[in-house]
Amino acid sequence: MSGKAFIPRDSLGAALDRLSKKIEVWVPAMSEEGRWGVEFLPYRPGMRPVLDRQSTLSPKRVVFPQMETLLRFEYIKDPDDPAKVKFRLDDGQEVKPQFVFGARPCDVRGFFTFDRVFTEGPFVDGYYRNRRASTLFATLVCGEGDAACFCSSVGSGPADQAGSDLWVTPVDGGYVVEALSERGREYVALLGDAPSELQEAAARKVQEEAAQQQVGDPDLVKSAPSFRGRFEDLDYWRSMVSQCLGCGVCTYVCPTCYCFTITDEGKDLKGERLRSWDSCMFAQYTSEASGHNPRPTKLERYRNRVGHKFSYFPEKYDGMIACCGCGRCIRSCPVSIDIRKVVQELKEKANACA
Amino acid sequence: MFENATKQLRETVEAALPELNTVVGWRAGYDPLHMTPVFIKNAGDLSKLEWSPFCVQNLSGYLVKDPAVRAQDPSKKIGICVKGCDSRSLVALIQEKFIERNQIHVFGIPCRGTVDWRRVMKLGPLTGIQSARVEESRLVVEDANGGHTFALEDVLARKCLRCAHPNPVIHDVLIGEPVTPRVAVENSYGEVERMEEQSLEDRLGFWKKELDKCLRCYACRNACPLCVCQDRCIAETREPRWLTQRVGTSEKFLFHFIHALHLAGRCTECGECERACPMEIPVTLIKEKLNKITLELMSYEAGMDPEAVPPLLTFNPGETGL
């Protein structure tokens, strides 16, 4: 096994058909034919993956669904003795192996933020860990950055292989696929025949060009001191946050935002405990039982969002920024708020103050 | 052609600025197809102010929802830039006493339509967009591969293609000449009529399919200038709890129809809910249906007359038409 394959462009469907017989496959596809938006959907024969632009929604939900059932519970009354009630609990989780085909380096990098929190701390989140361990990524060498992309600003880049199992390079006429992990290697032969030398050379050229690209100008690493320094500069935060509408779209499209809420949803004697996405931009997020809310306005909420990604997280996790530079929060923001600008000006003005 | 309008807007704002707290307008965003709101406080910021068909946002909601805008010197007015559709939201907010007419200074801009960036990108492909401008009835975009020309009709927002009120209905000063409306309001509900021709089952199927895509990010709600409940929205209240955290269509359906019903006879069809939706769900269409009913039954059009009382905010025992 060479660990490499070539998928002719017009055989991509056939290759994915073969792959999807072995394993559940997710591909970026149009949520509705004829629209711009792309999301990761379970692959079904006949579906056309959209590989020429970044998806609107990241593949976050493949590993961390917007809602998942943590457990199911039921109270069972004894008809002969109504005072006796049995309690039944089912906390089983069904996880199937799955393959994400057509992610981008930023999408995959997003899961590193999750990993630190959900699997590497004193408490391991079994639900996340199981699904994460069963998910493989075939990642595209990225060539379609736009003005909102800034992966290089956060220490990644369009040819960042970290976290991927297969490396997919678009070349003339198709895709050159190569294995980056042992798990990925098992699936290469399914996807196509070995590439020719010419195809391999073309792929190397694309990869080298991608590796040279600097996507995003500002350097956003090591922003924690400037954030701390200006935490109480309310005029700065007010000027940055005035436009914000306070919706949660930035957090829901974000590959690294991992905050969730847990609720018991039930009726009569049966119910479920659900975990679902939450957003730090919502008022309820920090609402306390007393009615007090320590983050009463969008200023405190937005400042927390920036601080979490660029200060609190790196301070806690060896300098790692909780942002993968995909630019989705900028692109999907109804008022085009640019988080790069907020962090960059934080640094510039902090320097000016010093 | 928009350089002149921008120049005129800046000059007009500059002249009024000493008497105003802040002027809410638009400035360049992260790429040439995007603008972002700007709060002009002093003359030094005037060069940021822009007007072009990329100025999509309806800014009137800030007057109600932004604490910083509201907490300013009450002896001075707040300036705001509005297109025709945006001005109707101002009227609705005045009617409902969220703002006072004499507290605002309205820079009204007759509008020939705004560009929907997603429609442009779909027609692309565009990479590395360097500039974008509207010339008469064309959009010209320059990207890494050269110039691309699009017919304006193909890239305007859906709401603009059915616009009956391109000229601000209230203003203190008008920037540019009034423009001719595309359609009369009676003829602006073509898409609703096409929906009405479908069977109830098909309509239900359509909305179930569309609303299933909803993320419940609430961008539609927060972008709406008339969704004034803000942090008290029933979509999120805990006591009582109307919606569960389930992601099923029924929860999303309930939210969107509560949203729409709260806007019945109030919605001015500015289209912000639809524009803000990351999943491109045509949510304004639900409100258009309700407005069509309001127009047919009560001959009322929201956001046209600051003195009028919206029909669902009053009780008239002699109501006719129902």
Side-chain angles (χ1 to χ4, degrees), chain A residues 32 37 66 243 276 298 335, chain B residues 36 62 66 209 213 280:
Chain A
E32 186 78 36
Q66 178 156 11
Q243 300 135 288
S276 48
K298 64 184 180 181
V335 291
Chain B
T36 184
Y62 289 117
D66 191 277
K209 183 162 168 265
K213 293 195 274 271
E280 299 164 71

Side-chain angles (χ1 to χ4, degrees), chain A residues 68-195:
Chain A
E68 69 184 313
T69 304
L70 302 180
L71 52 89
R72 288 151 288 272
F73 55 85
E74 187 179 3
Y75 297 92
I76 303 157
K77 282 192 177 173
D78 187 339
D80 298 328
D81 182 0
K84 261 169 85 180
V85 179
K86 274 199 287 186
F87 181 68
R88 199 167 58 82
L89 187 93
D90 165 18
D91 63 353
Q93 184 200 22
E94 198 191 330
V95 174
K96 282 189 285 184
Q98 47 187 3
F99 214 123
V100 178
F101 188 94
R104 284 164 195 269
C106 51
D107 296 336
V108 180
R109 197 182 166 88
F111 291 108
F112 292 179
T113 300
F114 277 78
D115 294 344
R116 292 303 296 258
V117 180
F118 287 69
T119 67
E120 293 170 24
F123 303 102
V124 171
D125 185 303
Y127 295 91
Y128 173 80
R129 178 200 55 203
N130 295 345
R131 217 179 262 109
R132 174 78 163 119
S134 330
T135 310
L136 286 87
F137 292 92
T139 308
L140 280 170
V141 180
C142 189
E144 289 93 10
D146 70 9
C149 288
F150 61 104
C151 53
S152 306
S153 301
V154 293
S156 179
D160 186 351
Q161 297 181 333
S164 297
D165 299 283
L166 294 182
W167 197 225
V168 183
T169 312
V171 296
D172 273 349
Y175 304 90
V176 173
V177 181
E178 55 194 287
L180 297 178
S181 74
E182 279 312 309
R183 291 199 306 172
R185 188 177 291 268
E186 289 174 37
Y187 295 92
V188 173
L190 261 180
L191 291 169
D193 298 330

Side-chain angles (χ1 to χ4, degrees), chain A residues 3-14:
Chain A
K4 289 185 181 175
F6 179 74
I7 312 174
R9 200 162 298 251
D10 52 10
S11 306
L12 180 62

Side-chain angles (χ1 to χ4, degrees), chain A residues 2-3 12 38 86 100 102 150 215 235 239 251 260 295 297 309 322:
Chain A
S2 72
L12 180 62
V38 170
K86 274 199 287 186
V100 178
F150 61 104
V215 180
D235 283 342
S239 71
T251 56
F260 59 80
R295 292 186 205 138
T297 72
K309 292 189 177 303

